[in-house]
Amino acid sequence: MRIQVTRTVGAVTVAVAAVSFITLRKLFTKKKHVQIAVAMDTVVLHQIGRSRYAPSLSPFPLKLETYLRFANIPYVSVHGTDMSPKGKTPWIELNGEVFSDSSFIIEMLNKKFDVDLNKHLSPSERGTARAFQKMVEENLYWTLVYARWIDPRSTFMSLMHEFPFRNLLLKFIARKIRKVMNGHGIGRHSDEEIYHIAEKDIMAISAFLGDKKFMFGDEPCEEDCAMFGMLAQLVWQLSDSPQEKLIKGECKNLEDYCVRMKERFWPDWDQCIMGEIGRASCRERV
């Protein structure tokens, strides 16, 4: 009987390992890309799938899609695990060409469609806007990554309920991310130090925003897309984290700011969070 039970457990273990391997291979193996037929000058936005509480699990697709809406550039949104030639997401196709990296994409689209969402800013304000964007994308972002993937108290797993063998998947991803964070440098800090970095960044943004509607006054600018993409993750998708508690407490003006951005550029927000209905709805933005 003991031999039979051992064999059964062993068989189940092998089966789980095999399915897990297949799942991981599907997620991280480069696939043959199939182009989607769209009208000329229509952006095909490739990004990971919708999330439960926001249109993207990543700040960068949300940043780029918000920019496309702000700039009134026609686009369709395609969800999947395909990565750009640089191995990043989001990425776009435009008139048969592939472009990578959200910031480079926005710079290219500004030139292509003659867009300037910062025309109301002075040269000094443009410089300040870029500095804040780089702070959130190159510094605050990594505290989000830590809280989501590394911190054992993370509640992020509940957002990935649809993934098979999610525990194994999350451990696999966490090892890869920890290595990247150590290379960046922030991963060498303690838990307390990483959250201290987050606190300083969030409080700086809150102090600068003050009682303004958007980062530089009554009208948003291009960098508001990046700020919203990042802060939305902390407001709606980092439950019980130190960042969320700070934003919904002492720095509540940042939560109010996110709500304003959401209301202005995402009237279909509820249709763009999770499920086939949301994906279909957002694909119609042409």
Side-chain angles (χ1 to χ4, degrees):
M1 176 65 71
R2 182 176 299 175
I3 294 175
Q4 181 62 38
V5 170
T6 301
R7 287 177 177 172
T8 301
V9 172
V12 171
T13 301
V14 171
V16 169
V19 174
S20 300
F21 172 76
I22 293 171
T23 300
L24 292 172
R25 186 172 64 179
K26 285 182 178 179
L27 287 173
F28 295 101
T29 300
K30 186 175 179 60
K31 305 171 185 176
K32 183 177 179 180
H33 174 62
V34 178
Q35 286 190 333
I36 296 175
V38 294
M40 195 71 173
D41 287 341
T42 297
V43 171
V44 179
L45 171 60
H46 294 269
Q47 58 176 311
I48 56 178
R50 298 297 184 190
S51 181
R52 186 181 300 176
Y53 303 116
S56 178
L57 280 172
S58 170
F60 302 104
L62 184 54
K63 158 194 169 181
L64 182 53
E65 193 166 2
T66 302
Y67 162 83
L68 290 169
R69 289 164 175 245
F70 190 0
N72 291 315
I73 295 174
Y75 77 95
V76 293
S77 188
V78 178
H79 303 272
T81 57
D82 287 352
M83 296 290 142
S84 74
K86 293 183 178 181
K88 302 177 69 175
T89 186
W91 56 285
I92 70 165
E93 292 175 276
L94 179 63
N95 299 335
E97 292 187 72
V98 171
F99 300 90
S100 305
D101 187 274
S102 60
S103 291
F104 286 145
I105 290 170
I106 289 174
E107 187 175 348
M108 181 276 295
L109 292 175
N110 282 341
K111 294 178 181 178
K112 168 72 176 176
F113 294 101
D114 193 24
V115 172
D116 184 4
L117 302 179
N118 291 345
K119 59 186 176 183
H120 59 295
L121 302 186
S122 68
S124 175
E125 288 173 329
R126 287 174 183 255
T128 301
R130 178 172 174 82
F132 268 100
Q133 177 178 339
K134 291 305 173 183
M135 181 183 76
V136 299
E137 292 188 340
E138 306 295 341
N139 204 55
L140 181 61
Y141 168 69
W142 290 107
T143 75
L144 162 67
V145 171
Y146 178 82
R148 178 174 283 177
W149 296 102
I150 307 299
D151 191 333
R153 298 164 294 184
S154 173
T155 59
F156 177 66
M157 190 180 297
S158 64
L159 297 178
M160 298 186 69
H161 66 282
E162 73 274 17
F163 284 93
F165 305 104
R166 63 181 181 183
N167 289 344
L168 181 63
L169 177 62
L170 289 172
K171 287 180 181 179
F172 174 82
I173 295 175
R175 284 199 300 270
K176 293 174 70 72
I177 288 177
R178 187 179 289 277
K179 183 177 180 180
V180 173
M181 290 185 66
N182 284 340
H184 175 277
I186 195 169
R188 301 172 189 270
H189 297 314
S190 67
D191 178 275
E192 182 179 354
E193 289 169 334
I194 290 173
Y195 284 125
H196 179 68
I197 291 172
E199 178 185 359
K200 299 291 282 187
D201 286 354
I202 290 170
M203 292 188 72
I205 300 167
S206 177
F208 181 79
L209 177 64
D211 58 0
K212 299 191 296 292
K213 289 183 179 180
F214 302 102
M215 289 300 292
F216 290 90
D218 290 339
E219 291 299 320
C221 67
E222 181 182 301
E223 283 73 15
D224 277 294
C225 300
M227 191 66 65
F228 173 66
M230 192 68 60
L231 293 178
Q233 303 299 319
L234 308 183
V235 171
W236 290 299
Q237 303 206 116
L238 211 61
S239 178
D240 295 326
S241 67
Q243 294 99 316
E244 184 209 41
K245 292 175 181 177
L246 181 59
I247 288 178
K248 293 185 176 181
E250 186 176 349
C251 299
K252 193 177 183 306
N253 62 333
L254 297 183
E255 181 183 19
D256 297 337
Y257 162 82
C258 285
V259 171
R260 283 192 293 274
M261 287 289 292
K262 171 185 169 184
E263 290 176 346
R264 177 147 181 171
F265 298 111
W266 289 89
D268 56 343
W269 180 278
D270 289 342
Q271 287 73 50
C272 290
I273 53 176
M274 291 296 290
E276 294 298 328
I277 295 177
R279 284 192 283 273
S281 174
C282 288
R283 282 176 60 90
E284 294 171 359
R285 291 189 61 85
V286 179

mmCIF file of all heavy atoms in Angstrom, residues 186-230:
data_model
loop_
_atom_site.group_PDB
_atom_site.id
_atom_site.type_symbol
_atom_site.label_atom_id
_atom_site.label_comp_id
_atom_site.label_asym_id
_atom_site.label_seq_id
_atom_site.Cartn_x
_atom_site.Cartn_y
_atom_site.Cartn_z
ATOM 1 N N ILE A 186 18.594 48.646 -6.065
ATOM 2 C CA ILE A 186 17.583 48.816 -5.021
ATOM 3 C C ILE A 186 17.297 47.498 -4.315
ATOM 4 O O ILE A 186 16.910 47.471 -3.144
ATOM 5 C CB ILE A 186 16.289 49.420 -5.612
ATOM 6 C CG1 ILE A 186 15.391 49.945 -4.487
ATOM 7 C CG2 ILE A 186 15.547 48.407 -6.486
ATOM 8 C CD1 ILE A 186 14.220 50.781 -4.970
ATOM 9 N N GLY A 187 17.494 46.381 -5.010
ATOM 10 C CA GLY A 187 17.231 45.081 -4.405
ATOM 11 C C GLY A 187 18.219 44.711 -3.314
ATOM 12 O O GLY A 187 18.001 43.737 -2.587
ATOM 13 N N ARG A 188 19.284 45.472 -3.176
ATOM 14 C CA ARG A 188 20.282 45.207 -2.130
ATOM 15 C C ARG A 188 19.903 45.870 -0.805
ATOM 16 O O ARG A 188 20.570 45.660 0.206
ATOM 17 C CB ARG A 188 21.662 45.701 -2.595
ATOM 18 C CG ARG A 188 22.114 45.032 -3.895
ATOM 19 C CD ARG A 188 23.389 45.651 -4.452
ATOM 20 N NE ARG A 188 23.665 45.126 -5.792
ATOM 21 C CZ ARG A 188 24.395 44.043 -6.031
ATOM 22 N NH1 ARG A 188 24.911 43.369 -5.017
ATOM 23 N NH2 ARG A 188 24.606 43.637 -7.273
ATOM 24 N N HIS A 189 18.838 46.682 -0.840
ATOM 25 C CA HIS A 189 18.398 47.351 0.381
ATOM 26 C C HIS A 189 17.475 46.444 1.190
ATOM 27 O O HIS A 189 16.911 45.474 0.676
ATOM 28 C CB HIS A 189 17.660 48.650 0.044
ATOM 29 C CG HIS A 189 18.504 49.667 -0.650
ATOM 30 N ND1 HIS A 189 19.773 49.991 -0.240
ATOM 31 C CD2 HIS A 189 18.246 50.447 -1.743
ATOM 32 C CE1 HIS A 189 20.275 50.917 -1.030
ATOM 33 N NE2 HIS A 189 19.376 51.201 -1.959
ATOM 34 N N SER A 190 17.303 46.794 2.450
ATOM 35 C CA SER A 190 16.402 46.045 3.315
ATOM 36 C C SER A 190 14.955 46.408 3.000
ATOM 37 O O SER A 190 14.666 47.393 2.301
ATOM 38 C CB SER A 190 16.689 46.374 4.782
ATOM 39 O OG SER A 190 16.343 47.731 5.070
ATOM 40 N N ASP A 191 14.039 45.607 3.522
ATOM 41 C CA ASP A 191 12.613 45.858 3.377
ATOM 42 C C ASP A 191 12.271 47.263 3.857
ATOM 43 O O ASP A 191 11.588 48.022 3.157
ATOM 44 C CB ASP A 191 11.854 44.800 4.195
ATOM 45 C CG ASP A 191 10.340 45.001 4.161
ATOM 46 O OD1 ASP A 191 9.835 45.791 4.987
ATOM 47 O OD2 ASP A 191 9.696 44.366 3.333
ATOM 48 N N GLU A 192 12.779 47.629 5.020
ATOM 49 C CA GLU A 192 12.492 48.941 5.596
ATOM 50 C C GLU A 192 13.040 50.060 4.715
ATOM 51 O O GLU A 192 12.376 51.091 4.513
ATOM 52 C CB GLU A 192 13.094 49.034 6.997
ATOM 53 C CG GLU A 192 12.819 50.356 7.703
ATOM 54 C CD GLU A 192 13.421 50.402 9.097
ATOM 55 O OE1 GLU A 192 13.941 49.373 9.557
ATOM 56 O OE2 GLU A 192 13.361 51.483 9.715
ATOM 57 N N GLU A 193 14.218 49.873 4.176
ATOM 58 C CA GLU A 193 14.837 50.915 3.348
ATOM 59 C C GLU A 193 14.088 51.101 2.025
ATOM 60 O O GLU A 193 13.920 52.231 1.549
ATOM 61 C CB GLU A 193 16.301 50.559 3.094
ATOM 62 C CG GLU A 193 17.181 50.702 4.327
ATOM 63 C CD GLU A 193 18.557 50.091 4.146
ATOM 64 O OE1 GLU A 193 18.707 49.154 3.322
ATOM 65 O OE2 GLU A 193 19.499 50.534 4.841
ATOM 66 N N ILE A 194 13.641 50.010 1.429
ATOM 67 C CA ILE A 194 12.906 50.103 0.163
ATOM 68 C C ILE A 194 11.597 50.857 0.363
ATOM 69 O O ILE A 194 11.237 51.731 -0.442
ATOM 70 C CB ILE A 194 12.648 48.700 -0.414
ATOM 71 C CG1 ILE A 194 13.971 48.089 -0.899
ATOM 72 C CG2 ILE A 194 11.630 48.764 -1.558
ATOM 73 C CD1 ILE A 194 13.869 46.646 -1.342
ATOM 74 N N TYR A 195 10.894 50.564 1.431
ATOM 75 C CA TYR A 195 9.638 51.275 1.678
ATOM 76 C C TYR A 195 9.878 52.724 2.108
ATOM 77 O O TYR A 195 9.016 53.587 1.903
ATOM 78 C CB TYR A 195 8.798 50.521 2.707
ATOM 79 C CG TYR A 195 8.133 49.294 2.116
ATOM 80 C CD1 TYR A 195 8.306 48.031 2.676
ATOM 81 C CD2 TYR A 195 7.354 49.406 0.969
ATOM 82 C CE1 TYR A 195 7.710 46.904 2.119
ATOM 83 C CE2 TYR A 195 6.755 48.292 0.401
ATOM 84 C CZ TYR A 195 6.935 47.042 0.979
ATOM 85 O OH TYR A 195 6.343 45.940 0.407
ATOM 86 N N HIS A 196 11.045 53.003 2.669
ATOM 87 C CA HIS A 196 11.395 54.391 2.984
ATOM 88 C C HIS A 196 11.591 55.183 1.690
ATOM 89 O O HIS A 196 11.172 56.350 1.603
ATOM 90 C CB HIS A 196 12.675 54.428 3.825
ATOM 91 C CG HIS A 196 13.127 55.814 4.170
ATOM 92 N ND1 HIS A 196 12.426 56.627 5.028
ATOM 93 C CD2 HIS A 196 14.205 56.549 3.748
ATOM 94 C CE1 HIS A 196 13.048 57.798 5.143
ATOM 95 N NE2 HIS A 196 14.119 57.771 4.369
ATOM 96 N N ILE A 197 12.209 54.552 0.694
ATOM 97 C CA ILE A 197 12.370 55.188 -0.618
ATOM 98 C C ILE A 197 10.995 55.505 -1.201
ATOM 99 O O ILE A 197 10.755 56.599 -1.729
ATOM 100 C CB ILE A 197 13.173 54.278 -1.565
ATOM 101 C CG1 ILE A 197 14.632 54.192 -1.100
ATOM 102 C CG2 ILE A 197 13.090 54.777 -3.012
ATOM 103 C CD1 ILE A 197 15.455 53.160 -1.852
ATOM 104 N N ALA A 198 10.090 54.539 -1.129
ATOM 105 C CA ALA A 198 8.735 54.752 -1.638
ATOM 106 C C ALA A 198 8.061 55.914 -0.923
ATOM 107 O O ALA A 198 7.414 56.764 -1.554
ATOM 108 C CB ALA A 198 7.909 53.476 -1.462
ATOM 109 N N GLU A 199 8.195 55.958 0.392
ATOM 110 C CA GLU A 199 7.570 57.022 1.174
ATOM 111 C C GLU A 199 8.079 58.396 0.761
ATOM 112 O O GLU A 199 7.291 59.333 0.567
ATOM 113 C CB GLU A 199 7.846 56.799 2.668
ATOM 114 C CG GLU A 199 7.273 57.894 3.561
ATOM 115 C CD GLU A 199 7.656 57.709 5.022
ATOM 116 O OE1 GLU A 199 8.348 56.723 5.343
ATOM 117 O OE2 GLU A 199 7.265 58.570 5.834
ATOM 118 N N LYS A 200 9.392 58.529 0.597
ATOM 119 C CA LYS A 200 9.976 59.823 0.212
ATOM 120 C C LYS A 200 9.494 60.259 -1.166
ATOM 121 O O LYS A 200 9.186 61.437 -1.388
ATOM 122 C CB LYS A 200 11.503 59.737 0.245
ATOM 123 C CG LYS A 200 12.095 59.404 1.608
ATOM 124 C CD LYS A 200 11.925 60.535 2.606
ATOM 125 C CE LYS A 200 12.923 61.633 2.383
ATOM 126 N NZ LYS A 200 12.876 62.675 3.466
ATOM 127 N N ASP A 201 9.430 59.313 -2.107
ATOM 128 C CA ASP A 201 8.972 59.647 -3.460
ATOM 129 C C ASP A 201 7.507 60.066 -3.460
ATOM 130 O O ASP A 201 7.129 61.065 -4.085
ATOM 131 C CB ASP A 201 9.167 58.445 -4.392
ATOM 132 C CG ASP A 201 10.614 58.217 -4.770
ATOM 133 O OD1 ASP A 201 11.474 59.056 -4.413
ATOM 134 O OD2 ASP A 201 10.904 57.195 -5.425
ATOM 135 N N ILE A 202 6.671 59.295 -2.783
ATOM 136 C CA ILE A 202 5.236 59.584 -2.752
ATOM 137 C C ILE A 202 4.963 60.928 -2.093
ATOM 138 O O ILE A 202 4.147 61.727 -2.583
ATOM 139 C CB ILE A 202 4.477 58.455 -2.033
ATOM 140 C CG1 ILE A 202 4.496 57.180 -2.891
ATOM 141 C CG2 ILE A 202 3.035 58.866 -1.728
ATOM 142 C CD1 ILE A 202 3.987 55.944 -2.183
ATOM 143 N N MET A 203 5.649 61.209 -1.018
ATOM 144 C CA MET A 203 5.439 62.476 -0.327
ATOM 145 C C MET A 203 5.919 63.653 -1.170
ATOM 146 O O MET A 203 5.319 64.737 -1.136
ATOM 147 C CB MET A 203 6.137 62.454 1.030
ATOM 148 C CG MET A 203 5.505 61.470 2.015
ATOM 149 S SD MET A 203 6.152 61.582 3.694
ATOM 150 C CE MET A 203 5.442 63.143 4.234
ATOM 151 N N ALA A 204 6.986 63.448 -1.942
ATOM 152 C CA ALA A 204 7.471 64.512 -2.828
ATOM 153 C C ALA A 204 6.444 64.816 -3.914
ATOM 154 O O ALA A 204 6.175 65.989 -4.224
ATOM 155 C CB ALA A 204 8.800 64.095 -3.456
ATOM 156 N N ILE A 205 5.856 63.781 -4.499
ATOM 157 C CA ILE A 205 4.832 63.972 -5.534
ATOM 158 C C ILE A 205 3.619 64.674 -4.938
ATOM 159 O O ILE A 205 3.059 65.605 -5.532
ATOM 160 C CB ILE A 205 4.413 62.628 -6.149
ATOM 161 C CG1 ILE A 205 5.613 61.933 -6.787
ATOM 162 C CG2 ILE A 205 3.312 62.830 -7.187
ATOM 163 C CD1 ILE A 205 5.357 60.477 -7.130
ATOM 164 N N SER A 206 3.210 64.229 -3.755
ATOM 165 C CA SER A 206 2.047 64.811 -3.091
ATOM 166 C C SER A 206 2.257 66.284 -2.783
ATOM 167 O O SER A 206 1.361 67.111 -2.991
ATOM 168 C CB SER A 206 1.747 64.037 -1.800
ATOM 169 O OG SER A 206 0.675 64.616 -1.089
ATOM 170 N N ALA A 207 3.450 66.615 -2.303
ATOM 171 C CA ALA A 207 3.753 68.010 -1.967
ATOM 172 C C ALA A 207 3.754 68.880 -3.222
ATOM 173 O O ALA A 207 3.259 70.020 -3.205
ATOM 174 C CB ALA A 207 5.106 68.094 -1.271
ATOM 175 N N PHE A 208 4.290 68.350 -4.330
ATOM 176 C CA PHE A 208 4.325 69.122 -5.562
ATOM 177 C C PHE A 208 2.922 69.310 -6.147
ATOM 178 O O PHE A 208 2.572 70.380 -6.624
ATOM 179 C CB PHE A 208 5.216 68.437 -6.604
ATOM 180 C CG PHE A 208 5.315 69.189 -7.897
ATOM 181 C CD1 PHE A 208 6.152 70.292 -8.012
ATOM 182 C CD2 PHE A 208 4.542 68.826 -8.991
ATOM 183 C CE1 PHE A 208 6.228 71.009 -9.205
ATOM 184 C CE2 PHE A 208 4.615 69.536 -10.181
ATOM 185 C CZ PHE A 208 5.464 70.625 -10.291
ATOM 186 N N LEU A 209 2.115 68.254 -6.094
ATOM 187 C CA LEU A 209 0.750 68.343 -6.624
ATOM 188 C C LEU A 209 -0.086 69.326 -5.822
ATOM 189 O O LEU A 209 -0.821 70.143 -6.394
ATOM 190 C CB LEU A 209 0.088 66.965 -6.614
ATOM 191 C CG LEU A 209 -1.368 66.913 -7.085
ATOM 192 C CD1 LEU A 209 -1.465 67.309 -8.563
ATOM 193 C CD2 LEU A 209 -1.968 65.527 -6.864
ATOM 194 N N GLY A 210 0.030 69.266 -4.498
ATOM 195 C CA GLY A 210 -0.736 70.163 -3.648
ATOM 196 C C GLY A 210 -2.223 70.062 -3.922
ATOM 197 O O GLY A 210 -2.781 68.965 -3.962
ATOM 198 N N ASP A 211 -2.858 71.210 -4.154
ATOM 199 C CA ASP A 211 -4.293 71.206 -4.425
ATOM 200 C C ASP A 211 -4.586 71.421 -5.913
ATOM 201 O O ASP A 211 -5.715 71.754 -6.286
ATOM 202 C CB ASP A 211 -5.004 72.261 -3.583
ATOM 203 C CG ASP A 211 -4.465 73.681 -3.834
ATOM 204 O OD1 ASP A 211 -3.548 73.847 -4.666
ATOM 205 O OD2 ASP A 211 -4.971 74.630 -3.199
ATOM 206 N N LYS A 212 -3.588 71.240 -6.761
ATOM 207 C CA LYS A 212 -3.801 71.372 -8.211
ATOM 208 C C LYS A 212 -4.585 70.165 -8.727
ATOM 209 O O LYS A 212 -4.501 69.069 -8.180
ATOM 210 C CB LYS A 212 -2.454 71.465 -8.942
ATOM 211 C CG LYS A 212 -1.597 72.662 -8.550
ATOM 212 C CD LYS A 212 -0.418 72.860 -9.491
ATOM 213 C CE LYS A 212 0.585 71.729 -9.475
ATOM 214 N NZ LYS A 212 1.329 71.639 -8.211
ATOM 215 N N LYS A 213 -5.308 70.367 -9.819
ATOM 216 C CA LYS A 213 -6.061 69.260 -10.411
ATOM 217 C C LYS A 213 -5.128 68.233 -11.041
ATOM 218 O O LYS A 213 -5.329 67.020 -10.915
ATOM 219 C CB LYS A 213 -7.041 69.787 -11.463
ATOM 220 C CG LYS A 213 -8.229 70.551 -10.900
ATOM 221 C CD LYS A 213 -9.186 70.956 -12.022
ATOM 222 C CE LYS A 213 -10.394 71.692 -11.473
ATOM 223 N NZ LYS A 213 -11.317 72.091 -12.571
ATOM 224 N N PHE A 214 -4.130 68.752 -11.746
ATOM 225 C CA PHE A 214 -3.156 67.891 -12.412
ATOM 226 C C PHE A 214 -1.765 68.380 -12.043
ATOM 227 O O PHE A 214 -1.620 69.345 -11.294
ATOM 228 C CB PHE A 214 -3.400 67.882 -13.918
ATOM 229 C CG PHE A 214 -4.788 67.422 -14.285
ATOM 230 C CD1 PHE A 214 -5.775 68.339 -14.645
ATOM 231 C CD2 PHE A 214 -5.127 66.074 -14.240
ATOM 232 C CE1 PHE A 214 -7.064 67.930 -14.956
ATOM 233 C CE2 PHE A 214 -6.418 65.650 -14.544
ATOM 234 C CZ PHE A 214 -7.384 66.578 -14.895
ATOM 235 N N MET A 215 -0.741 67.761 -12.573
ATOM 236 C CA MET A 215 0.610 68.039 -12.088
ATOM 237 C C MET A 215 1.008 69.506 -12.253
ATOM 238 O O MET A 215 1.756 70.049 -11.442
ATOM 239 C CB MET A 215 1.620 67.149 -12.814
ATOM 240 C CG MET A 215 1.545 65.682 -12.403
ATOM 241 S SD MET A 215 1.855 65.412 -10.625
ATOM 242 C CE MET A 215 3.582 65.845 -10.498
ATOM 243 N N PHE A 216 0.507 70.152 -13.326
ATOM 244 C CA PHE A 216 0.910 71.538 -13.561
ATOM 245 C C PHE A 216 -0.282 72.485 -13.683
ATOM 246 O O PHE A 216 -0.192 73.515 -14.343
ATOM 247 C CB PHE A 216 1.813 71.616 -14.801
ATOM 248 C CG PHE A 216 3.163 71.004 -14.566
ATOM 249 C CD1 PHE A 216 3.378 69.657 -14.831
ATOM 250 C CD2 PHE A 216 4.210 71.748 -14.039
ATOM 251 C CE1 PHE A 216 4.614 69.071 -14.591
ATOM 252 C CE2 PHE A 216 5.445 71.180 -13.799
ATOM 253 C CZ PHE A 216 5.651 69.839 -14.068
ATOM 254 N N GLY A 217 -1.376 72.134 -13.064
ATOM 255 C CA GLY A 217 -2.499 73.062 -13.058
ATOM 256 C C GLY A 217 -3.819 72.425 -13.425
ATOM 257 O O GLY A 217 -4.071 71.243 -13.163
ATOM 258 N N ASP A 218 -4.652 73.208 -14.084
ATOM 259 C CA ASP A 218 -6.016 72.765 -14.386
ATOM 260 C C ASP A 218 -6.091 71.813 -15.572
ATOM 261 O O ASP A 218 -7.128 71.168 -15.778
ATOM 262 C CB ASP A 218 -6.912 73.979 -14.666
ATOM 263 C CG ASP A 218 -7.180 74.798 -13.409
ATOM 264 O OD1 ASP A 218 -7.031 74.246 -12.305
ATOM 265 O OD2 ASP A 218 -7.529 75.993 -13.549
ATOM 266 N N GLU A 219 -5.031 71.747 -16.376
ATOM 267 C CA GLU A 219 -5.017 70.869 -17.532
ATOM 268 C C GLU A 219 -3.872 69.864 -17.417
ATOM 269 O O GLU A 219 -2.775 70.222 -16.994
ATOM 270 C CB GLU A 219 -4.868 71.673 -18.831
ATOM 271 C CG GLU A 219 -6.086 72.519 -19.171
ATOM 272 C CD GLU A 219 -7.336 71.676 -19.374
ATOM 273 O OE1 GLU A 219 -7.236 70.586 -19.981
ATOM 274 O OE2 GLU A 219 -8.427 72.107 -18.927
ATOM 275 N N PRO A 220 -4.110 68.615 -17.805
ATOM 276 C CA PRO A 220 -3.049 67.603 -17.735
ATOM 277 C C PRO A 220 -1.997 67.817 -18.814
ATOM 278 O O PRO A 220 -2.234 68.529 -19.798
ATOM 279 C CB PRO A 220 -3.810 66.290 -17.949
ATOM 280 C CG PRO A 220 -5.011 66.687 -18.762
ATOM 281 C CD PRO A 220 -5.382 68.070 -18.300
ATOM 282 N N CYS A 221 -0.860 67.199 -18.637
ATOM 283 C CA CYS A 221 0.213 67.227 -19.623
ATOM 284 C C CYS A 221 0.622 65.787 -19.928
ATOM 285 O O CYS A 221 0.076 64.835 -19.356
ATOM 286 C CB CYS A 221 1.405 68.037 -19.125
ATOM 287 S SG CYS A 221 2.274 67.314 -17.713
ATOM 288 N N GLU A 222 1.583 65.636 -20.820
ATOM 289 C CA GLU A 222 2.010 64.295 -21.235
ATOM 290 C C GLU A 222 2.481 63.456 -20.050
ATOM 291 O O GLU A 222 2.164 62.271 -19.938
ATOM 292 C CB GLU A 222 3.126 64.424 -22.262
ATOM 293 C CG GLU A 222 3.655 63.098 -22.787
ATOM 294 C CD GLU A 222 4.792 63.307 -23.763
ATOM 295 O OE1 GLU A 222 4.578 63.994 -24.793
ATOM 296 O OE2 GLU A 222 5.905 62.793 -23.506
ATOM 297 N N GLU A 223 3.241 64.083 -19.156
ATOM 298 C CA GLU A 223 3.787 63.335 -18.025
ATOM 299 C C GLU A 223 2.728 62.907 -17.023
ATOM 300 O O GLU A 223 2.967 62.007 -16.209
ATOM 301 C CB GLU A 223 4.887 64.166 -17.326
ATOM 302 C CG GLU A 223 6.215 64.200 -18.049
ATOM 303 C CD GLU A 223 6.199 65.065 -19.314
ATOM 304 O OE1 GLU A 223 5.242 65.866 -19.475
ATOM 305 O OE2 GLU A 223 7.140 64.949 -20.127
ATOM 306 N N ASP A 224 1.553 63.525 -17.071
ATOM 307 C CA ASP A 224 0.462 63.052 -16.222
ATOM 308 C C ASP A 224 0.080 61.620 -16.578
ATOM 309 O O ASP A 224 -0.385 60.862 -15.718
ATOM 310 C CB ASP A 224 -0.766 63.958 -16.363
ATOM 311 C CG ASP A 224 -0.679 65.201 -15.495
ATOM 312 O OD1 ASP A 224 -0.697 65.068 -14.260
ATOM 313 O OD2 ASP A 224 -0.589 66.313 -16.051
ATOM 314 N N CYS A 225 0.286 61.232 -17.835
ATOM 315 C CA CYS A 225 -0.025 59.854 -18.247
ATOM 316 C C CYS A 225 0.886 58.872 -17.515
ATOM 317 O O CYS A 225 0.431 57.818 -17.045
ATOM 318 C CB CYS A 225 0.144 59.707 -19.754
ATOM 319 S SG CYS A 225 -0.929 60.779 -20.729
ATOM 320 N N ALA A 226 2.172 59.213 -17.434
ATOM 321 C CA ALA A 226 3.127 58.350 -16.734
ATOM 322 C C ALA A 226 2.852 58.341 -15.233
ATOM 323 O O ALA A 226 2.905 57.287 -14.579
ATOM 324 C CB ALA A 226 4.563 58.822 -17.001
ATOM 325 N N MET A 227 2.548 59.507 -14.682
ATOM 326 C CA MET A 227 2.265 59.596 -13.251
ATOM 327 C C MET A 227 1.026 58.777 -12.904
ATOM 328 O O MET A 227 1.015 58.019 -11.921
ATOM 329 C CB MET A 227 2.055 61.067 -12.868
ATOM 330 C CG MET A 227 2.007 61.318 -11.380
ATOM 331 S SD MET A 227 3.596 60.990 -10.560
ATOM 332 C CE MET A 227 4.623 62.269 -11.313
ATOM 333 N N PHE A 228 -0.011 58.904 -13.717
ATOM 334 C CA PHE A 228 -1.238 58.155 -13.491
ATOM 335 C C PHE A 228 -1.004 56.656 -13.633
ATOM 336 O O PHE A 228 -1.502 55.858 -12.824
ATOM 337 C CB PHE A 228 -2.319 58.618 -14.474
ATOM 338 C CG PHE A 228 -3.569 57.791 -14.443
ATOM 339 C CD1 PHE A 228 -4.380 57.771 -13.315
ATOM 340 C CD2 PHE A 228 -3.944 57.030 -15.547
ATOM 341 C CE1 PHE A 228 -5.543 57.009 -13.282
ATOM 342 C CE2 PHE A 228 -5.103 56.269 -15.530
ATOM 343 C CZ PHE A 228 -5.902 56.251 -14.391
ATOM 344 N N GLY A 229 -0.251 56.259 -14.663
ATOM 345 C CA GLY A 229 0.027 54.838 -14.868
ATOM 346 C C GLY A 229 0.657 54.198 -13.648
ATOM 347 O O GLY A 229 0.323 53.060 -13.293
ATOM 348 N N MET A 230 1.563 54.939 -12.996
ATOM 349 C CA MET A 230 2.249 54.403 -11.826
ATOM 350 C C MET A 230 1.378 54.476 -10.576
ATOM 351 O O MET A 230 1.221 53.489 -9.844
ATOM 352 C CB MET A 230 3.551 55.176 -11.598
ATOM 353 C CG MET A 230 4.480 54.530 -10.588
ATOM 354 S SD MET A 230 5.169 52.966 -11.189
ATOM 355 C CE MET A 230 6.041 53.519 -12.660
#
